[in-house]
Amino acid sequence: MQEKRRRRRESHNAVERRRRDNINEKIQELATLLPDFASDPQNKPNKGVILRKSVEYIRQVNILAQKQSDRVRELEDALRKLLAETGAQERDLGLSLPLGTTLDLATIISSMPQPSVSYTASSAMDAMMD
């Protein structure tokens, strides 16, 4: 009975350790994506700072994306006006997408080339832990 408990505890500890390692790895990866830390690999902030800065950065990127979306809409309106005034056709502009096409993250990601995926035991464990 003691042996069974010990094995169960060891198994649980190993799973928990892998979970913590995965979380720590992803937090460190976040740090490499932040402008404040990406340029200085010697600067190793703690996890709380990384998470706080990540939230701030995501908010800033969202604001920037909204402003860029507003600017695109403004430019498209001006282009439509010019097209109407000149009698030119939109198809003659050689645009990659028609005017007014809304891009969302899912559309952008789905149009990107997908990396090759290999299945490993560790990736299966990561999937179970997410």
Side-chain angles (χ1 to χ4, degrees):
M1 194 60 139
Q2 291 287 354
E3 180 65 21
K4 184 177 179 181
R5 280 189 192 151
R6 185 185 62 76
R7 280 195 315 262
R8 196 167 137 204
R9 187 179 69 244
E10 286 174 356
S11 174
H12 171 75
N13 289 346
V15 168
E16 181 63 20
R17 184 173 28 263
R18 284 190 298 269
R19 185 189 71 79
R20 282 191 317 266
D21 289 346
N22 187 40
I23 290 169
N24 289 332
E25 177 185 324
K26 296 305 175 188
I27 289 172
Q28 291 307 312
E29 186 176 345
L30 269 176
T32 66
L33 299 174
L34 296 172
D36 293 350
F37 307 124
S39 61
D40 184 8
Q42 298 301 325
N43 183 10
K44 190 173 183 218
N46 67 47
K47 292 180 224 177
V49 169
I50 293 169
L51 292 173
R52 183 171 41 80
K53 293 283 190 180
S54 295
V55 169
E56 289 172 11
Y57 185 67
I58 290 168
R59 285 188 177 131
Q60 291 170 356
V61 168
N62 283 338
I63 291 168
L64 178 62
Q66 183 58 54
K67 288 182 185 225
Q68 287 180 329
S69 179
D70 294 345
R71 180 66 174 150
V72 165
R73 196 170 7 276
E74 180 183 309
L75 291 170
E76 285 184 347
D77 289 345
L79 185 54
R80 280 190 194 92
K81 184 178 176 186
L82 282 172
L83 287 172
E85 289 173 0
T86 62
Q89 298 294 312
E90 182 180 334
R91 68 177 172 269
D92 298 331
L93 297 175
L95 300 174
S96 61
L97 294 169
L99 291 176
T101 301
T102 302
L103 290 178
D104 60 8
L105 191 54
T107 304
I108 294 168
I109 290 172
S110 69
S111 68
M112 294 171 61
Q114 298 298 313
S116 62
V117 177
S118 62
Y119 182 83
T120 64
S122 65
S123 64
M125 183 58 84
D126 288 345
M128 291 188 317
M129 296 166 93
D130 289 337

